[in-house]
């Protein structure tokens, strides 16, 4: 039997339904522990108190956009792997998010199996 360590994932999206949908998708991967936050401000508190392996952030959120959130997360926990999920994907946003420290910028319209592959690739690294 192969031991698969638990992967802690934080989802940050102001749309609770989107957060719940992503949580359902990510929970299909064995060994995932998933938290959702609909507030970028509250998510920073979670980051301070927990060690998340992967963080998925939305771009358009009230009080703080995803690029600003990425910068703040990396100030707190510099080794965090962060992915941006957005419905507003553009080359400028991709460049801005990656310059801030995002590993990748993904469309919210991505196939679920592609999201699962990201987690599995992290598990197998």
């Amino acid at each position: 039997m192969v031991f698969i360590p638990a992967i802690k994932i934080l989802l940050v999206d102001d749309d609770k339904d989107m957060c719940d949908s992503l949580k359902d998708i990510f929970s299909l991967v064995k060994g995932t522990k998933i938290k959702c936050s609909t507030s970028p401000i509250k998510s920073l508190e979670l980051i301070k108190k927990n060690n998340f392996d992967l963080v998925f952030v939305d771009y358009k959120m009230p009080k703080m956009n995803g690029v600003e959130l990425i910068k703040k997360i990396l100030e707190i926990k510099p080794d965090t792997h962060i992915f941006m999920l957005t419905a507003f994907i553009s080359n400028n946003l991709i460049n801005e998010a990656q310059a801030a420290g995002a590993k990748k910028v993904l469309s919210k319209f991505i196939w679920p199996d592609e999201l699962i592959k990201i987690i599995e690739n992290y598990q197998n690294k």
Side-chain angles (χ1 to χ4, degrees), residues 35-108:
K35 278 206 179 292
C36 286
S37 176
T38 56
S39 163
I41 306 299
K42 289 181 183 174
S43 71
L44 291 173
E45 291 305 314
L46 289 170
I47 294 286
K48 288 176 186 173
K49 295 177 184 174
N50 299 277
N51 289 318
F52 292 102
D53 300 299
L54 301 173
V55 178
F56 290 81
V57 302
D58 186 18
Y59 175 66
K60 279 191 141 186
M61 297 182 286
K63 302 198 181 182
M64 184 184 310
N65 71 40
V67 172
E68 295 165 331
L69 181 58
I70 290 167
K71 290 176 184 176
K72 290 187 182 294
I73 290 170
L74 292 174
E75 286 174 10
I76 298 166
K77 300 267 174 98
D79 294 332
T80 306
H81 287 68
I82 305 172
F83 295 84
M84 180 178 283
L85 277 167
T86 181
F88 304 97
I89 202 161
S90 70
N91 286 334
N92 286 344
L93 178 57
I94 291 169
N95 293 336
E96 186 180 4
Q98 288 180 329
K103 298 292 179 195
K104 200 166 192 179
V105 179
L106 307 164
S107 168
K108 280 190 176 178

Side-chain angles (χ1 to χ4, degrees), residues 21 25-26 28-29 109-118:
S21 294
I25 292 167
F26 291 155
L28 296 172
V29 180
F109 308 108
I110 190 170
W111 289 98
D113 59 334
E114 292 179 55
L115 290 171
I116 289 169
K117 192 180 294 184
I118 289 170

